[in-house]
Amino acid sequence: MANPASKKFRAIIVGGGVAGLVASHTFSKAGIEHIVLERGSEAAPPTGASIAIYPHGARILQQLGILEQTKAIADPLEDGATNRWPDGSPVQWSDLWRYVRENHGTELMLLERRGYLEVLWQNLPDKSKVLFNKKVANIVENDDGVEVFLSDGTSEKGDIVVGADGVHSTVREKMWERANRLEPGIIDVKEKKGFGPGEPQMKNELSVVYNKGHSFLLGTQPRRCFYFVFQRVKEPWTRYNRPRYTQEDAEKMAADVADMSVSDTMVFGELWQKRWRGAVVDIEEGVLNRWFYGRTVLVGDTAHKITPNMALGGNSGMESVVVLTNLLHRTLASTSPSKPSHDALTQAFQAYQDQRLPRMRHIMKFSRLITRTQAWDNWFLKMVSIWVLPYLPERKLANDLGEIIRKAPMLDFVPLGDWDEGLMEWEDMKQEKKPKRNGAVGMERRPAQIVPASLLG
């Protein structure tokens, strides 16, 4: 049975992963009525490996009031980053994470994805807004709102749908169907072919092992080790013909690389034997050209998927949620007490896409280059990894990352609070002179208010 239509603006968030739960937090901060529909049966399932929280992600968590809870289950990387030859011997070492901390005032945190989801879930302002075992069957939209029909026979009504259901998104599929039915050709065929592939004795570091056609990535900590084996697929595929992998596939892939070195003292087989869990998953990449249509808007991996070698995917998803929340918060404030019109929502969604699209294309290209260099994808990148990267200034990668980090958004209606300054200034922070009581001039730091012209007037 459908819930009754509400006179208050209501968002339906589909997907209860990182992007969906962060959206519940930010929408709560913005006073946006919402519901989260998760197809799974629990908030923090034992799937996925690790997630890295960069300083720009930490700023968002600080605004949400859950940074300290996240730090409590994370181990900061303290022993730098090491690039290794195929035999495991080091070719280059950098004190990368110290430079990140110096540049931005806080360290990079590496933690289990399941643990991070648990923090997001346990600290939600209202857990009743998250419904489990809710699989989307259909989405019906009209000028007045939207209704999401679920496989259990129920439905939810609202004003917009936020697709946070990941790279194999049902919401995106339904959005494409409606767009091409009403405006044939508006979703280019190329868009639909996107998102294809393109231990205690170890240090607390991030380590990369080069090899031809594949690479190892290890985030080692005193209590655990997160590891990835990247292999190039033999043939490109799309979302419609992607392969399905079994545990037997994982065992075979692990056996193929079991004797290969992951450090100067250990081979991969030793890690695999001690695993808690392991699986073969697709590493998709792609950034859509269109992130919304009608009353449906996409966030996180649903709109942009990048390779994980630089661990920027989770942070990017949080960024998208934040930008969308900022724009909806402003739009709702400008139309209160009435609901925003269809045109007002379109303007907000267009501004969201315009802000996020160039940045995500840049981040995807950056991550793609790192991934292919580490796997020696061609002779040129192999030469770069051997003869160029080791001789670059030691802070080069940290500063390149810094340009990405410092340009990241945060909520523009929630104070940041105390934050240690770094060497690189955040782009969205402006210093305003504020007279003190004694007549001296003080400085106040606050988020810059970036208002799209399409919402003014």
Side-chain angles (χ1 to χ4, degrees):
M1 181 178 179
N3 58 303
S6 173
K7 293 183 179 180
K8 190 174 183 181
F9 181 87
R10 187 174 193 253
I12 301 173
I13 302 167
V14 178
V18 170
L21 292 182
V22 169
S24 186
H25 277 276
T26 60
F27 280 20
S28 296
K29 287 285 186 183
I32 299 174
E33 179 63 32
H34 66 278
I35 196 79
V36 180
L37 306 176
E38 166 56 35
R39 66 181 296 170
S41 60
E42 57 182 310
T47 58
S50 61
I51 186 169
I53 306 296
Y54 277 89
H56 55 301
R59 286 201 310 169
I60 295 171
L61 300 184
Q62 169 100 331
Q63 290 184 300
L64 299 180
I66 57 174
L67 178 57
E68 294 307 314
Q69 295 92 319
T70 306
K71 285 183 175 181
I73 65 167
D75 287 305
L77 293 170
E78 297 174 341
D79 293 321
T82 304
N83 292 340
R84 300 179 182 275
W85 295 107
D87 64 2
S89 61
V91 61
Q92 180 189 14
W93 179 86
S94 168
D95 206 355
L96 176 63
W97 312 119
R98 177 171 68 88
Y99 299 147
V100 169
R101 183 171 62 251
E102 290 175 354
N103 283 345
H104 308 287
T106 191
E107 64 276 346
L108 177 141
M109 295 179 287
L110 184 65
L111 61 157
E112 187 181 13
R113 183 179 184 274
R114 184 184 190 183
Y116 181 50
L117 286 171
E118 188 69 22
V119 169
L120 292 172
W121 164 249
Q122 292 296 342
N123 292 278
L124 279 177
D126 186 354
K127 293 180 183 177
S128 68
K129 293 186 180 298
V130 182
L131 305 181
F132 295 101
N133 298 306
K134 296 294 183 179
K135 183 179 179 181
V136 172
N138 196 20
I139 300 174
V140 176
E141 179 182 326
N142 56 47
D143 290 340
D144 297 322
V146 64
E147 186 167 5
V148 178
F149 293 88
L150 305 166
S151 60
D152 61 4
T154 63
S155 68
E156 293 288 339
K157 288 184 177 180
D159 296 281
I160 64 171
V161 174
V162 179
D165 50 339
V167 67
H168 306 300
S169 168
T170 300
V171 172
R172 185 179 62 230
E173 189 75 25
K174 298 300 180 183
M175 185 187 85
W176 283 347
E177 288 177 4
R178 185 170 188 273
N180 280 329
R181 184 173 67 251
L182 298 179
E183 299 182 60
I186 191 171
I187 304 297
D188 190 274
V189 67
K190 293 180 180 179
E191 190 96 323
K192 295 187 175 184
K193 292 184 178 180
F195 289 171
E199 221 27 62
Q201 70 271 31
M202 302 180 74
K203 292 183 178 180
N204 188 356
E205 67 171 6
L206 188 73
S207 182
V208 173
V209 183
Y210 296 134
N211 218 314
K212 181 175 177 56
H214 74 270
S215 65
F216 294 107
L217 175 65
L218 294 86
T220 55
Q221 299 179 323
R223 296 176 293 172
R224 56 193 164 229
C225 172
F226 303 106
Y227 54 84
F228 304 83
V229 184
F230 300 106
Q231 288 190 354
R232 183 171 184 170
V233 296
K234 295 179 180 179
E235 294 181 2
W237 46 257
T238 70
R239 63 189 306 272
Y240 301 103
N241 64 351
R242 64 187 179 91
R244 300 295 193 272
Y245 302 106
T246 65
Q247 191 59 39
E248 288 72 23
D249 293 321
E251 294 286 356
K252 182 180 184 304
M253 182 175 176
D256 289 343
V257 296
D259 293 333
M260 295 186 177
S261 301
V262 295
S263 74
D264 45 6
T265 61
M266 183 176 289
V267 296
F268 177 75
E270 296 176 78
L271 285 179
W272 183 252
Q273 289 177 358
K274 298 177 182 179
R275 71 190 183 280
W276 291 343
R277 60 180 180 269
V280 180
V281 297
D282 300 316
I283 301 298
E284 306 90 350
E285 60 180 348
V287 177
L288 297 182
N289 294 319
R290 189 173 186 92
W291 294 23
F292 72 95
Y293 187 82
R295 291 178 176 269
T296 299
V297 62
L298 311 177
V299 297
D301 286 354
T302 310
H304 48 77
K305 184 68 168 66
I306 59 178
T307 55
N309 296 60
M310 289 309 300
L312 288 166
N315 296 265
S316 297
M318 291 191 288
E319 287 183 40
S320 291
V321 168
V322 160
V323 172
L324 179 62
T325 304
N326 288 341
L327 291 162
L328 286 175
H329 180 253
R330 259 175 260 152
T331 301
L332 293 172
S334 67
T335 61
S336 182
S338 300
K339 290 184 180 182
S341 65
H342 188 282
D343 287 344
L345 290 173
T346 298
Q347 291 176 1
F349 292 164
Q350 185 66 58
Y352 160 68
Q353 178 179 292
D354 290 345
Q355 288 186 35
R356 295 296 297 149
L357 191 55
R359 176 169 169 83
M360 285 314 306
R361 284 174 175 165
H362 172 68
I363 290 175
M364 187 191 75
K365 290 177 181 178
F366 178 78
S367 297
R368 172 186 286 176
L369 178 61
I370 297 295
T371 299
R372 284 154 176 76
T373 300
Q374 291 174 353
W376 288 351
D377 194 46
N378 56 51
W379 69 267
F380 176 75
L381 292 178
K382 181 178 181 179
M383 292 301 101
V384 167
S385 69
I386 295 174
W387 298 107
V388 177
L389 295 183
Y391 302 101
L392 291 175
E394 193 170 334
R395 296 190 77 111
K396 169 67 174 169
L397 180 56
N399 290 342
D400 287 346
L401 268 173
E403 287 301 312
I404 291 175
I405 293 170
R406 75 177 193 88
K407 294 177 181 178
M410 65 178 179
L411 293 171
D412 61 13
F413 57 91
V414 178
L416 177 60
D418 294 333
W419 189 267
D420 292 337
E421 298 295 331
L423 299 175
M424 302 183 77
E425 185 176 11
W426 297 93
E427 190 173 82
D428 64 359
M429 301 294 289
K430 62 180 181 181
Q431 296 193 359
E432 296 183 356
K433 294 183 178 181
K434 183 179 180 181
K436 294 184 178 180
R437 290 183 180 180
N438 61 5
V441 175
M443 305 298 289
E444 181 184 22
R445 295 187 66 81
R446 60 179 64 178
Q449 298 284 335
I450 306 173
V451 183
S454 60
L455 297 181
L456 296 177

